[in-house]
Amino acid sequence: MRQDELNILLVEDHRAAAELVRRQLSSCRDFRFHLTLADRLTTALALVRRRRFDAVLLDLGLPDAMEDEAFEKLHQRAPDLPVIILSGQDDRERAVHLVGAGAQGYLVKGNFDANSLATTIRYSIERHKLLRAVRESSEEALTTGTRLQALVQHNVDAIIVLDDRDSICFANPAAEELFGSSAEQLVGTPFIYPLRSDGLGEIEFLGRGGLPVVVEGRSADIDWDGQPARLVTLRNITGRKQLERKIASERGFLQRVVDGVLDPILVTDLDCRVRLRNAPALKLLGDRGEEDWPLRCQHGGGHETRRCTSGRECVLDRVRRSGEPERHIVEHRFTDGEIRHFEVEYTPLRSDDGALQGVIEASRDVTDRIRTELKLQENQQALEHLALHDPLTSLPNRNLFMDRLRQGISKARRHKRQLALMFIDLDRFKNVNDTLGHSSGDCYLQEIAARLGGCVRSSDTVARLGGDEFVLLLEEVQDRNSVARMARNFLRVIADSLALEGHELFPSASIGISMFPEDADCAEDLMKCADAAMYQAKDHGRNTFHFYTPELRTRVQDQLVLESSLRQALDRDQFCLHFQPQFSLTRRRPVGLEALVRWQHPELGIIPPDRFIPLAEETGLIVPIGEWVLRTACQHHREWLESGMRPMRMAVNLSRRQFRQANLIERVGTILDDTGLPPEFLELEITESTIMTDVSQAIATMRALREMGVHLAIDDFGSGYSSLSCLKQFPISKLKIDRSFVRDLTSTGENAAITRAIIALARSLDLEVVAEGIESKEQLRFLKKRGCHHGQGFLFSRPLPVARLAEMVRGWAPRFSFGRPALQPAALS
């Protein structure tokens, strides 16, 4: 720093305001300075401790200081450092107060020009030196009196001294000029213009010639000839005030006009500096730092093209060079990270003589419009994709597949080639879904879809029709042998083990194959043929494939007829119940009944459950059929009990769909009320896989049934995945050993071991255990020896129709009574 430079500390947190001060001081040619900027009070305090400054320009609105804290701490840290307050219009009273507290002066932001700023700094320093000299000891005052007198006499500010009666006892030449009277005339004149108690304020009065004069006054208590007095300094700011008012009026009018425009507007000059901005633009861009504001874009440094910080060619520079307007969509990132898009119109700004002065930027927020357009495009694409693809696997759906199949048939017909259609149905997928849940089932299907998609040719198509059904279109095949090789490969790929939810699963599938043109010549018939062949593959043990043969068409037609008849069977009273007794293995007497539904078809005769129950489950007819079975079984059982039959439970199977009904408890209660059967004589059998689909919900449903008095049994136990911890929570009375274990009981060691374990488990949990499908004495002896309580099967009795069972129950006279009083022997007679 040069010796004749003033070292000035500017404490200002707004970079725009700081830059304005720097430019104003720089414009004063005879004012040499070195400006140091501090945007926090803590930074300023640290700087004045380490360095020497001639003056401080202090903003009152610092983020780390409240009220007058900034001045107080700075004045306490450096009491000999002149401080000039920079205040806003609303902070003028605070500034005046701080001048009384020791500040050398104040300037109102926006109300001073460069000369006023430089003069204020100079004379604040001089006044500070003067006041400091006044406070010196009398000896020092005597040695410096001449110098102080010279300073006072030549000071451009009016200086007067007031005695204790506020009469003027001293006036310098500047005061004579200000009031239009000589010092002799002024001495003794009362000073009638009040200053605030803090000693700072503006005074307006009529001066020489009756013209209004505005002065900025400051006072300080001094000792004058041994008497208390006040030193008053008055600065004429009339010209500055007039200029400020004029500029403020013009700018205010223009600013109000542009602020009334809702869209952001910026005007930049030829140096890319912002000369005008409206309120929306200020809100959009904010008060940026010294590096970016008021620069609108990065300077090109004389290059042919200028580039913005984004690396793209600067639009402002291009418009200035071409003189033609442009319109662009630009992206703006806000400080909170939000990105919005604006449509900006760049228009050249010209003077009256046509010379280019800058560029007008008018912006409009089009973010919502762009988002809406993008959303519409995305929705359209999504709708198109959903219309043609399966949402779970992203494979083509039935619509897209049928379209490709028709195209493939047309192509094969033109070129006289063959194509193959494979219909793939996953084996036992329902068990996965029911046991592990639908979420795991979805993952299972996605994995199978990925495997199939990974082993077909680019010319082939893999699609998912729904559920666990997939189809493959294989074009340009040579013969059946090549198709069979491909089918074997698909089965091998599908059969790889699959880890899911901690379980290792081994998928398999049944594949039906139809050929064009051998089996059918249109897409719909080709699909029907492949579907029929798939069911044939399932009948052959699953995990295999089967080609379509003409004989299969008859089976498909029979299945359709069966489904149609099933939908009418309930209304036409074609269902009936057979009942199979359950016997005590130790006492060899009946202890219960199980109701079994049969279909009496008018043309096909008695249709067994294994033929129509799966179809009823698939179509949803199992719910009304199951309710009919429950109601009819309860009605018959009530009648038999009233006729004198030994009290025993009636077991009725609940299908998976029935068990999941939201109103199951209500329906069972209604049936018991309507039929009059006490709930303790009803036993509902639920399969293990049904319960394990949703264990928590199943427990809640079972507890509600048990609270009604209904007994519960787990049917086909051992074929599912229930754990001991779950089993302990089920409010059940009985376990039923699946007939598949009993059938090979004496020939397969594994089944024998499982049966022994189930019996031991049931007895340890104090549950009854019933074995299904007992057909031989060897099976009976094995089960009886291991402690099985009850059994049912052809060895004891086949399922009997109502009439035959009614004859049999007459011999089951009650030897003891239990249950409700209404069912005591006397009441049943």
Side-chain angles (χ1 to χ4, degrees), residues 780-823:
L780 174 63
R781 281 194 293 269
F782 180 93
L783 293 167
K784 184 177 179 180
K785 182 178 180 181
R786 269 64 184 182
C788 182
H789 299 105
H790 308 143
Q792 66 185 89
F794 289 174
L795 182 64
F796 305 110
S797 171
R798 290 179 176 273
L800 302 174
V802 174
R804 290 190 57 188
L805 186 68
E807 297 175 1
M808 182 181 292
V809 300
R810 294 192 185 98
W812 296 350
R815 300 179 184 179
F816 55 90
S817 62
F818 60 90
R820 294 183 176 179
L823 294 179

Side-chain angles (χ1 to χ4, degrees), residues 696-727:
S696 59
Q697 182 60 42
I699 292 175
T701 302
M702 294 169 74
R703 286 177 177 170
L705 290 169
R706 194 68 191 93
E707 289 173 0
M708 293 173 58
V710 175
H711 290 270
L712 301 171
I714 295 183
D715 196 14
D716 299 337
F717 186 77
S719 61
Y721 299 90
S722 60
S723 64
L724 180 59
S725 62
C726 291
L727 192 62

Side-chain angles (χ1 to χ4, degrees), residues 563-637:
E563 180 180 342
S564 177
S565 300
L566 182 62
R567 294 185 180 276
Q568 304 171 7
L570 196 59
D571 294 334
R572 296 179 178 179
D573 199 23
Q574 294 177 359
F575 289 110
C576 66
L577 292 182
H578 286 193
F579 298 88
Q580 188 173 36
Q582 297 174 344
F583 286 83
S584 168
L585 299 188
T586 55
R587 299 183 181 183
R588 299 297 298 272
R589 67 181 184 186
V591 292
L593 295 170
E594 181 178 6
L596 304 171
V597 65
R598 297 292 185 266
W599 182 9
Q600 295 177 313
H601 195 279
E603 298 176 0
L604 303 177
I606 296 293
I607 301 177
D610 58 355
R611 280 199 63 189
F612 71 85
I613 289 297
L615 186 60
E617 284 275 9
E618 181 181 346
T619 59
L621 294 172
I622 193 65
V623 174
I625 293 174
E627 185 167 331
W628 178 87
V629 170
L630 179 60
R631 180 178 292 275
T632 305
C634 290
Q635 182 65 45
H636 284 308
H637 196 40

Side-chain angles (χ1 to χ4, degrees), residues 98-171:
L98 293 178
V99 170
Q104 295 305 309
Y106 78 96
L107 293 170
V108 180
K109 291 182 180 180
N111 293 344
F112 59 85
D113 56 12
N115 291 330
S116 298
L117 176 60
T119 301
T120 300
I121 294 173
R122 284 196 187 102
Y123 287 104
S124 293
I125 296 173
E126 292 175 2
R127 284 199 304 273
H128 183 74
K129 292 177 180 178
L130 174 61
L131 292 176
R132 185 172 58 187
V134 170
R135 290 192 298 268
E136 295 292 341
S137 66
S138 58
E139 290 183 2
E140 187 177 352
L142 290 174
T143 58
T144 58
T146 304
R147 186 186 310 167
L148 292 176
Q149 183 66 23
L151 288 174
V152 171
Q153 293 297 321
H154 294 89
N155 200 318
V156 295
D157 291 336
I159 299 176
I160 59 175
V161 178
L162 305 179
D163 60 18
D164 56 358
R165 296 186 305 274
D166 284 340
S167 295
I168 299 174
C169 57
F170 173 81

Side-chain angles (χ1 to χ4, degrees), residues 313-328:
E313 184 181 4
C314 179
V315 179
L316 294 174
D317 182 70
R318 190 166 59 243
V319 172
R320 282 192 300 270
R321 286 188 286 105
S322 67
E324 298 295 330
E326 293 189 18
R327 179 181 297 173
H328 297 277

Side-chain angles (χ1 to χ4, degrees), residues 741 745 748-760 782:
F741 298 126
L745 191 63
T748 305
E750 181 180 354
N751 285 351
I754 293 174
T755 303
R756 283 196 298 268
I758 294 174
I759 295 172
F782 180 93

